[in-house]
Amino acid sequence: MAEEARGICVRDVAARPFIEAYAEHLKNSDKFEAPVWSDTVKTAVFKELAPYGDDWYYIRAASIARKIYLRPGLGVGMLQKWYGGSYRRGARTEHFRKASSGIIRSVLIQLEEMKVVEQLPSGGRRVTTVGQQDLDRIAGSVFRAGEEDSDDE
């Protein structure tokens, strides 16, 4: 049987390889750049240290773009909840804390300038048609690379 040719979208690809590939794409893009404060800032109140990796800002941006692709209408507050976690307070009980909104907002502003996402009139963000083509193109390359790896084994 001949396989029917269809487009590969972000939903068809595992999250980790897609985010790594899109982060590399953002890093190589001259339209998207990490801010000067990205090496010293913590990602949330409950974190003790700033991220160790040099590419963490691009990885977070790729993850945010994927989240907005999968769930249009997502806003800064919902992304804060998603990237939030437990605030460990020593011997006292843990409490949930949201992630830093400044980082999320700066990523969204840069993605809007790149025409990847746009604001909705009702609030939240969605991926533009140009952004969807861009994300689907990278998802297709990740999918094909995964097929080649499985064929080699």
Side-chain angles (χ1 to χ4, degrees), residues 10-30:
V10 175
R11 292 181 194 278
D12 301 328
V13 182
R16 179 167 294 205
F18 172 77
I19 289 172
E20 289 172 357
Y22 193 59
E24 192 64 35
H25 169 75
L26 290 175
K27 189 175 181 182
N28 295 335
S29 170
D30 51 343

Side-chain angles (χ1 to χ4, degrees), residues 10-61:
V10 175
R11 292 181 194 278
D12 301 328
V13 182
R16 179 167 294 205
F18 172 77
I19 289 172
E20 289 172 357
Y22 193 59
E24 192 64 35
H25 169 75
L26 290 175
K27 189 175 181 182
N28 295 335
S29 170
D30 51 343
K31 295 179 185 174
F32 194 91
E33 54 188 45
V36 292
W37 47 260
S38 67
D39 58 341
T40 57
V41 74
K42 295 193 308 181
T43 56
V45 168
F46 61 90
K47 297 287 187 180
E48 291 186 13
L49 298 170
Y52 286 122
D54 295 333
D55 300 339
W56 74 267
Y57 190 80
Y58 301 105
I59 293 168
R60 177 63 55 99

Side-chain angles (χ1 to χ4, degrees), residues 32-35 37-38 56-57 61 64 76 100-113 125:
F32 194 91
E33 54 188 45
W37 47 260
S38 67
W56 74 267
Y57 190 80
I64 288 173
V76 174
S100 170
S101 61
I103 294 170
I104 295 169
R105 204 173 296 113
S106 71
V107 165
L108 288 173
I109 288 170
Q110 286 197 55
L111 289 175
E112 283 176 17
E113 289 171 357
R125 307 287 203 295

Side-chain angles (χ1 to χ4, degrees), residues 130-141:
V130 174
Q132 185 174 355
Q133 290 171 353
D134 196 26
L135 291 167
D136 286 343
R137 179 178 49 81
I138 290 169
S141 66

Side-chain angles (χ1 to χ4, degrees), residues 51-104:
Y52 286 122
D54 295 333
D55 300 339
W56 74 267
Y57 190 80
Y58 301 105
I59 293 168
R60 177 63 55 99
S63 175
I64 288 173
R66 181 180 178 274
K67 285 266 172 237
I68 292 173
Y69 181 98
L70 296 176
R71 292 189 62 183
L74 225 55
V76 174
M78 194 64 205
L79 289 168
Q80 276 184 284
K81 285 183 195 170
W82 177 258
Y83 292 110
S86 288
Y87 185 38
R88 298 180 64 206
R89 308 181 314 150
R92 296 173 297 173
T93 57
E94 296 179 357
H95 286 292
F96 180 81
R97 290 287 182 260
K98 292 180 179 177
S100 170
S101 61
I103 294 170
I104 295 169

